[in-house]
């Protein structure tokens, strides 16, 4: 295609540079590869799942293979000096199970990489020094993003003609124990490129080097001959520009010494708004603070582009700059480079600059020739009234342009003809993004001979133009994924594949016959699908036309056989205002309601906003999906005899001009009431033993439910939440009004303001270095102080070095220990909710710091200020 689509963005400098090469084959970028397949964890345990009676007895008595101190039972609340703890063995075994590999297919789909992973990283990985600059966390020693996960090895399998896998060939030659990242196929599939870093002294990680591996032999070697050339992967890393050449972002050899912070500042830090600009930004973290930070950012983020051949020939490309993306053109003649340039902002992260547009059209998509003639100007491809959402290219006669506007949930797909100026754009789909029942699916892409990905056209031996639309197929009975043959001229469609509805959940993963240029003959279609059920973990299959023959290509073992016979049901119920709600109810293996009676229950959820009650009531997900269990999943407590109500829908609806959050608390409580009433009505959950929990906005939900629905829950677990919305005054989550525009809403939604209403025990957990917008660690710190000030049973756990999500094994195991201890003490073995309310009312007292008479407000008995941090 002779044209490039350009979307002008603030803060980025775009440069189009010619590549000084003979005509090359197209690059294969890691970002253009199909997304690697993420597989569930597996465990080496082979014992059969325990009967329910044994699990329930262990949960009630606190039995565990760990010492008593590790079980969490009988431990004093204020004993905080015992270090990291381990949860019961039945939880440990699931979390410590070695993970299954990530899969990556070769360009011709005849080989599969098995990218091997380790289990949870140690805390020492997170404890390494890092710089926090412009919203980016950097490992200064290795000059890359800190906290990067990695692969431990690469295995290569041939995909045989019968769909089976050949023996594994292990990539070898790189240092033992190396951390591997950015694994990328060459255009012809003969070579792999990847980065390697190794452990050094003092718990440091080396800088990254680029390695090349021959796919046929598995032998790997460094790409650069010089040992002084390192990869700079702060933003982009490297791309293939043909079968034997890569473009690499490297650390400039001449960049000099690390900038030193002045021992004496040159002046005060000043921010000014004397021009009366209206600047409203969210509560971002890790921002640049001064000129020294800006210099450090430049030092680490500046790259020198290097064009390097497999024989080691190196040629610098362009000047050093803070390149954020490098994109070779489809014909390999040009590079489109994006870079960040000064002046830098001190109030938003890199790449996030305020921009206000009040004109129609709102966005314009331009197109220009790669070689402009006589200063010709870019042509307008399409004008949009909503926000530009991307473009999918097919050929010179077809492209799809996407636009959307979140406030109204409006989304549109336009058909445009790039090289036919006399053909006007027309709307293909115009719908609400939250109406999942009307989602037509997305066009499948095929890989071209030049290594790029374009919309796949299908030949049905007639005059029409057909696309393949891959959709999730949401229905009132759950998702039923599909593949449609769609006539783009008439809008008619034919369903050529659909998931099983009765027992299995299947999805289309990738197009496997995309190595053919031009239109794909329908009778030669080949796709990769996944297949799973409630009790059978995900496996992958080839579907081959015209017979639609199905061939299984993987046979992964069950990741947690001890929970293989768990019970799962997608339940449906109704909120009192008529909104339909759903949830996934899990019961432990071997549970017998007639013998075991009602169970303790953990409710885990996350609210969502909607513009219509109908959309809010639509079913999302499938009752036949396999239940993946992550390292901090609430489903872990199935092994401790709990019923789990996972993801009960809590829609916060604001129809028309009504703002959803103006009735947040009411809708939150009525949604929770409906969920609790349903599981209690079924007789599987004890009404006095229901705990509630959530992460981030789910933690915010948890605290609000304990404040406003004390009749529903016996205790709560809130992880990494924000509890005082006055600390996020310019918006949060999907609330775009400011504190001054919606003061009552901000105050009423903040559980911090209702700390005096909370009567149930609440466990707060937070990463010490949370970098998520709005969820600063001090949110939990101040909320805990407010709870203590009202005598609430509460506990605050701050995890060193952890961010918004938790990753180190020590941290995760301790979170599970804390959570299990809380659930055993206040849910399984706790008093009834009625009794605890009486006890709380009778025992909560305000104590003076001196132990005697109260000191004047704001002063301690020794005369010094004692204003608690929660009020600062």
């Amino acid at each position: 295609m002779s044209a490039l689509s350009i979307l002008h963005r603030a803060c980025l400098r775009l440069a189009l540079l010619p590549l000084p090469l003979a005509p090359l084959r197209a690059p294969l970028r890691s970002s253009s590869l199909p997304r690697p397949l993420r597989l569930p964890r597996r465990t080496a345990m082979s014992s059969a799942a325990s009967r329910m009676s044994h699990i329930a007895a262990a949960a009630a008595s606190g039995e565990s293979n760990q010492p008593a101190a590790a079980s969490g039972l009988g431990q004093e609340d204020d004993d905080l000096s015992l270090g990291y703890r381990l949860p019961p063995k039945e939880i440990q075994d699931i979390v410590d199970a070695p993970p299954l590999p990530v899969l990556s297919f070769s360009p011709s789909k005849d080989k599969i990489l098995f990218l091997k992973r380790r289990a949870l990283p140690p805390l020492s990985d997170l404890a390494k020094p890092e710089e926090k600059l412009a919203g980016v966390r950097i490992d200064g020693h290795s000059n890359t993003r800190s906290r990067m996960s990695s692969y431990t090895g690469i295995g290569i399998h041939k995909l045989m003609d019968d769909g089976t896998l050949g023996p594994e060939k292990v990539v070898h030659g790189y240092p033992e124990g190396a951390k591997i990242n950015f694994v990328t196929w060459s255009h012809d599939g003969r070579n792999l490129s990847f980065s390697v870093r190794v452990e050094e002294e003092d718990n440091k990680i080396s800088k990254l080097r680029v390695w090349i591996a021959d796919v046929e032999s598995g032998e790997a070697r460094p790409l650069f001959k010089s040992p002084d050339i390192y990869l700079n992967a702060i933003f982009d890393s490297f791309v293939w520009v043909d079968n034997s050449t890569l473009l690499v972002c490297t650390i400039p050899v001449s960049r000099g010494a690390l900038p030193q912070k002045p021992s004496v500042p040159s002046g005060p830090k000043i921010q000014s708004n004397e021009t009366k600009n209206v600047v409203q930004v969210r509560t971002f973290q890790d921002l640049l603070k001064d000129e020294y930070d800006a210099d450090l950012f430049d030092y680490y983020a500046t790259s020198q582009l290097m064009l390097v051949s497999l024989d080691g020939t190196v040629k610098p490309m362009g000047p050093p700059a803070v390149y954020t993306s490098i994109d070779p053109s489809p014909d390999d003649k040009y590079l489109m480079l994006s870079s960040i340039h000064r002046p830098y902002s001190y109030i938003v992260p890199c790449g996030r600059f305020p921009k206000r547009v009040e004109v129609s059209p709102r966005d314009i998509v331009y197109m220009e020739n790669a070689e402009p003639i006589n200063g010709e100007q870019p042509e307008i491809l399409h004008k949009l009234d909503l926000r530009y959402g991307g473009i999918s290219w097919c050929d010179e006669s077809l492209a799809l342009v996407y636009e959307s506007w979140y406030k109204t949930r409006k989304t549109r797909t336009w058909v445009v003809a790039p090289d036919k100026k006399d053909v006007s754009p027309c709307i293909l789909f115009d719908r609400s993004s939250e109406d999942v029942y009307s989602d037509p699916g997305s066009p499948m892409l095929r890989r071209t001979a030049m290594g790029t990905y374009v919309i796949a056209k299908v030949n049905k031996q007639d005059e029409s133009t057909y696309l393949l639309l891959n959709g999730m197929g949401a229905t009132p009975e759950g998702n039923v994924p599909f593949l449609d043959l769609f006539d783009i001229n008439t809008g008619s469609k034919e369903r050529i594949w659909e998931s099983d509805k009765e027992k299995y959940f299947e999805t289309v993963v990738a197009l496997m016959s995309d190595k053919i240029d031009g239109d794909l003959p329908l009778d030669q279609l080949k796709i990769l699908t996944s297949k799973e059920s409630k009790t059978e973990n995900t496996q992958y299959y080839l579907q081959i036309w015209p017979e639609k023959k199905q061939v299984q290509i993987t046979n992964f073992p069950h990741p947690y056989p001890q929970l293989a016979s768990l019970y799962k049901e997608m339940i449906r119920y109704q909120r009192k205002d008529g909104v339909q709600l759903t949830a996934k109810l899990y019961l432990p293996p071997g549970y017998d309601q007639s013998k075991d009676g009602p169970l303790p229950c953990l409710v885990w959820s996350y609210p969502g906003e909607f513009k219509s009650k109908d959309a809010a009531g639509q079913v999302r997900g499938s009752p036949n999906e396999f239940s993946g269990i992550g390292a901090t999943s609430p489903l872990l407590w199935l092994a401790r005899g709990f019923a789990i109500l996972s993801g009960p829908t809590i829609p916060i609806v604001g129809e028309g001009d009504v703002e959803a959050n103006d009735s947040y608390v009411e809708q939150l409580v009525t949604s929770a009431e409906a969920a609790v009433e349903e599981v209690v009505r079924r007789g599987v959950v004890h009404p006095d033993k229901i705990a509630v929990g959530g992460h981030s906005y789910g933690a915010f939900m948890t605290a609000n439910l304990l404040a406003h629905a004390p009749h529903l829950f016996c205790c709560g677990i809130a992880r990494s939440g924000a509890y005082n919305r006055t600390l996020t005054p310019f918006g949060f989550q999907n609330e775009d009004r400011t504190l001054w525009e919606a003061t009552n809403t901000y105050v009423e939604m903040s559980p911090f303001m209702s700390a005096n209403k909370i009567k149930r025990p609440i466990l707060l957990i937070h990463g010490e270095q949370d970098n998520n917008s709005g969820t600063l660690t001090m949110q939990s710190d101040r909320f805990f102080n407010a709870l203590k000030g009202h005598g609430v049973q509460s506990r605050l756990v701050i995890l060193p070095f952890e961010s918004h999500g938790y990753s180190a094994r020590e941290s995760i195991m301790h979170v599970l220990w804390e959570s299990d201890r809380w659930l055993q003490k206040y849910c399984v073995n706790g008093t009834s909710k009625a009794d605890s309310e009486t006890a709380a009312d009778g025992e909560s007292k305000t104590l003076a710091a001196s132990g005697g008479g109260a000191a004047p407000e704001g002063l301690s008995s020794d005369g010094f200020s004692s204003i608690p941090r929660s009020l600062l």
Side-chain angles (χ1 to χ4, degrees):
M1 187 174 297
S2 62
L4 291 173
S5 171
I6 299 176
L7 174 64
H8 293 285
R9 299 176 183 266
C11 316
L12 290 180
R13 175 177 290 136
L14 300 178
L16 193 63
L17 300 181
L19 277 172
L21 300 173
L24 304 174
R25 290 191 176 272
L28 174 61
R29 295 199 56 205
S30 58
S31 61
S32 66
L33 286 169
R35 181 176 297 174
L37 309 179
R38 299 287 180 182
L39 302 178
R41 294 180 178 273
R42 66 177 297 273
T43 177
M45 294 185 63
S46 59
S47 60
S50 301
R51 291 293 298 169
M52 175 59 206
S53 57
H54 170 74
I55 294 177
S61 64
E63 291 179 6
S64 167
N65 290 347
Q66 298 297 322
S71 72
L73 297 178
Q75 191 69 34
E76 293 297 328
D77 287 359
D78 57 356
D79 190 352
L80 304 176
S81 61
L82 295 179
Y84 289 97
R85 310 295 289 275
L86 294 173
K89 187 176 185 300
E90 53 264 44
I91 289 180
Q92 282 189 62
D93 288 341
I94 298 173
V95 176
D96 272 340
L100 289 175
V102 172
L103 305 187
S104 175
F105 286 85
S106 66
S108 58
K109 303 297 190 296
D110 61 343
K111 298 179 181 68
I112 307 177
L113 297 184
F114 278 50
L115 303 175
K116 301 169 185 179
R117 302 178 289 165
R118 64 177 178 178
L120 300 173
L123 187 63
S124 58
D125 279 10
L126 273 64
K128 293 177 172 63
E130 62 183 359
E131 301 288 350
K132 301 172 183 178
L133 304 168
V136 179
R137 293 188 171 181
I138 297 171
D139 182 333
H141 187 74
S142 61
N143 210 107
T144 189
R145 299 287 183 107
S146 60
R147 306 166 182 255
M148 279 204 314
S149 60
S150 60
Y151 302 117
T152 59
I154 305 173
I156 305 172
H157 292 266
K158 285 187 176 180
L159 184 59
M160 313 304 287
D161 292 339
D162 61 359
T164 60
L165 296 180
E168 182 179 67
K169 183 175 297 179
V170 177
V171 174
H172 58 278
Y174 53 81
E176 184 177 356
K179 300 176 186 292
I180 299 171
N181 290 94
F182 310 117
V183 181
T184 312
W185 291 91
S186 65
H187 165 67
D188 56 11
R190 295 181 178 179
N191 291 284
L192 299 173
S193 58
F194 53 93
S195 70
V196 166
R197 53 197 165 115
V198 296
E199 294 278 355
E200 294 182 337
E201 296 180 356
D202 301 326
N203 193 36
K204 293 181 178 178
I205 297 292
S206 70
K207 292 181 173 63
L208 282 73
R209 297 183 185 275
V210 182
W211 282 62
I212 297 294
D214 178 79
V215 171
E216 189 63 31
S217 67
E219 184 175 353
R221 61 177 177 82
L223 174 62
F224 292 98
K225 294 180 179 179
S226 170
D228 299 324
I229 301 180
Y230 300 98
L231 178 67
N232 189 339
I234 298 297
F235 291 107
D236 215 332
S237 53
F238 50 79
V239 294
W240 289 88
V241 295
D242 66 13
N243 291 331
S244 61
T245 310
L246 293 97
L247 185 66
V248 184
C249 294
T250 68
I251 299 174
V253 177
S254 60
R255 75 174 177 179
L258 184 72
Q260 297 299 309
K261 189 176 183 67
S263 56
V264 178
S266 59
K269 298 177 182 178
I270 299 173
Q271 297 186 56
S272 174
N273 192 37
E274 295 179 58
T275 56
K276 298 183 179 181
N277 293 327
V278 176
V279 181
Q280 300 179 355
V281 295
R282 295 282 178 114
T283 312
F284 297 114
Q285 302 187 58
D286 298 346
L287 302 178
L288 298 177
K289 300 181 292 295
D290 50 32
E291 188 63 21
Y292 170 68
D293 274 1
D295 290 342
L296 275 183
F297 179 76
D298 276 342
Y299 178 83
Y300 290 119
T302 297
S303 294
Q304 172 63 62
L305 299 182
M306 290 284 193
L307 202 61
V308 54
S309 300
L310 295 184
D311 61 8
T313 305
V314 175
K315 182 175 183 178
M317 286 286 294
V322 183
Y323 296 109
T324 57
S325 68
I326 49 178
D327 294 293
S329 62
D331 60 5
D332 300 318
K333 294 181 179 179
Y334 303 94
L335 286 173
M336 186 163 67
L337 308 176
S338 299
S339 62
I340 295 177
H341 58 87
R342 291 184 181 242
Y344 296 145
S345 170
Y346 290 3
I347 62 173
V348 293
C350 60
R352 295 290 302 269
F353 295 84
K355 181 180 179 181
R356 186 171 183 176
V357 180
E358 295 181 342
V359 297
S360 179
R362 177 175 292 277
D363 287 353
I364 300 176
V365 182
Y366 289 93
M367 183 174 67
E368 70 175 3
N369 290 322
E371 297 181 7
I373 302 174
N374 298 325
E376 65 179 346
Q377 296 301 310
E379 299 177 14
I380 294 176
L381 179 63
H382 193 29
K383 296 181 179 181
L384 305 171
D385 287 334
L386 309 180
R387 295 316 307 257
Y388 173 76
I391 186 168
S392 295
W393 295 96
C394 183
D395 53 28
E396 66 280 355
S397 65
L398 176 63
L400 300 181
V401 177
Y402 308 99
E403 64 171 337
S404 63
W405 189 247
Y406 179 78
K407 187 70 174 179
T408 61
R409 310 302 197 271
K410 174 73 73 174
T411 180
R412 293 176 183 146
T413 302
W414 293 83
V415 178
V416 297
D419 285 358
K420 296 182 178 180
K421 300 178 182 179
D422 57 335
V423 178
S424 300
C426 63
I427 289 181
L428 185 63
F429 304 121
D430 188 352
R431 47 183 294 272
S432 169
S433 60
E434 66 181 17
D435 180 10
V436 293
Y437 292 171
S438 70
D439 188 350
S442 302
M444 296 203 72
L445 306 180
R446 68 172 181 86
R447 190 176 184 275
T448 70
M450 297 182 292
T452 57
Y453 283 81
V454 298
I455 296 173
K457 279 185 178 180
V458 175
N459 181 359
K460 199 183 175 186
Q461 298 182 342
D462 57 26
E463 299 299 322
S464 293
T465 300
Y466 295 96
L467 308 182
L468 293 170
L469 294 184
N470 179 17
M472 290 306 295
T475 74
E477 288 71 43
N479 288 353
V480 183
F482 63 83
L483 187 66
D484 279 351
L485 192 64
F486 181 76
D487 187 332
I488 200 167
N489 299 317
T490 66
S492 62
K493 57 187 177 182
E494 173 189 352
R495 188 139 299 178
I496 61 174
W497 179 89
E498 187 174 69
S499 170
D500 177 84
K501 302 177 184 178
E502 302 304 320
K503 179 180 179 181
Y504 291 100
F505 175 71
E506 301 170 282
T507 64
V508 176
V509 179
L511 186 61
M512 299 295 284
S513 53
D514 62 353
K515 60 184 178 182
I516 305 172
D517 282 338
D519 295 354
L520 301 177
L522 181 60
D523 60 1
Q524 296 181 26
L525 186 63
K526 185 188 296 185
I527 60 175
L528 179 72
T529 62
S530 65
K531 185 177 183 178
E532 61 196 79
S533 72
K534 296 176 183 179
T535 58
E536 299 173 39
N537 54 301
T538 304
Q539 306 293 349
Y540 293 91
Y541 295 77
L542 288 178
Q543 307 281 347
I544 304 171
W545 269 252
E547 297 88 1
K548 298 185 181 180
K549 178 183 177 182
Q550 180 174 279
V551 181
Q552 183 173 347
I553 62 173
T554 63
N555 188 24
F556 297 114
H558 197 290
Y560 18 86
Q562 63 270 53
L563 295 180
S565 59
L566 62 81
Y567 174 86
K568 173 187 176 182
E569 180 184 355
M570 179 178 284
I571 63 175
R572 298 169 176 83
Y573 49 98
Q574 191 176 83
R575 202 164 70 179
K576 66 181 183 180
D577 62 356
V579 175
Q580 296 295 319
L581 305 176
T582 60
K584 294 177 182 176
L585 174 63
Y586 296 86
L587 300 175
Y591 172 71
D592 186 329
Q593 184 176 352
S594 63
K595 296 179 181 179
D596 302 312
L599 299 174
C601 177
L602 175 58
V603 177
W604 200 270
S605 192
Y606 192 99
E609 294 82 10
F610 292 87
K611 291 301 294 181
S612 76
K613 291 182 178 180
D614 288 342
Q618 292 181 350
V619 176
R620 291 161 173 81
S622 167
N624 297 326
E625 288 179 273
F626 181 72
S627 303
I629 301 180
T632 57
S633 169
L635 299 185
L636 290 167
W637 275 271
L638 288 168
R640 296 285 280 161
F642 273 71
I644 307 297
L645 193 65
S646 177
T649 51
I650 301 183
I652 311 300
V653 183
E655 295 187 309
D657 295 331
V658 175
E659 294 288 348
N661 283 336
D662 287 348
S663 57
Y664 171 86
V665 171
E666 177 187 353
Q667 295 192 62
L668 178 71
V669 171
T670 55
S671 295
E673 284 176 338
V676 169
E677 289 170 2
E678 176 62 20
V679 292
V680 170
R681 181 192 66 79
R682 289 168 171 256
V684 297
V685 168
H686 194 296
D688 288 339
K689 298 182 183 297
I690 304 176
V692 63
H695 188 96
S696 194
Y697 206 52
F700 176 74
M701 168 208 74
T702 297
N704 266 307
L705 284 174
L706 293 185
H708 302 290
H711 57 293
L712 297 179
F713 304 105
C714 61
C715 64
I717 300 173
R719 302 192 315 222
S720 299
Y723 309 102
N724 184 351
R725 286 305 168 193
T726 68
L727 298 178
T728 55
F730 291 107
F732 58 90
Q733 200 70 5
N734 293 312
E735 177 59 69
D736 56 10
R737 294 172 296 174
T738 70
L739 168 64
W740 299 271
E741 293 170 329
T743 304
N744 290 340
T745 297
Y746 272 66
V747 171
E748 291 170 3
M749 287 183 69
S750 297
F752 178 87
M753 303 300 182
S754 299
N756 61 316
K757 298 180 181 179
I758 296 178
K759 307 299 181 185
R760 302 279 176 250
I762 181 170
L763 172 63
L764 303 176
I765 302 175
H766 217 120
E768 188 176 41
Q769 298 186 23
D770 193 327
N771 64 342
N772 185 56
S773 175
T775 55
L776 293 82
T777 306
M778 72 171 179
Q779 286 271 8
S780 288
D781 185 37
R782 293 184 176 185
F783 188 39
F784 179 63
N785 287 337
L787 294 168
K788 283 197 303 181
H790 292 89
V792 179
Q793 285 180 306
S794 52
R795 184 175 174 96
L796 172 62
V797 180
I798 301 295
L799 303 171
F801 303 112
E802 293 290 354
S803 185
H804 190 59
Y806 321 135
S807 59
R809 182 181 185 274
E810 295 91 329
S811 302
I812 286 174
M813 289 298 183
H814 190 83
V815 166
L816 298 176
W817 176 82
E818 292 278 2
S819 302
D820 187 70
R821 172 191 173 277
W822 205 255
L823 292 171
Q824 300 302 324
K825 183 173 184 179
Y826 295 111
C827 185
V828 175
N829 300 320
T831 58
S832 71
K833 286 182 286 190
D835 291 342
S836 65
E837 283 177 359
T838 303
D841 291 341
E843 295 178 6
S844 295
K845 293 181 174 65
T846 302
L847 301 179
S850 65
E857 182 176 354
L859 293 177
S860 66
S861 57
D862 58 8
F864 290 97
S865 173
S866 63
I867 299 176
R869 282 184 292 168
S870 61
L871 299 180
L872 297 179

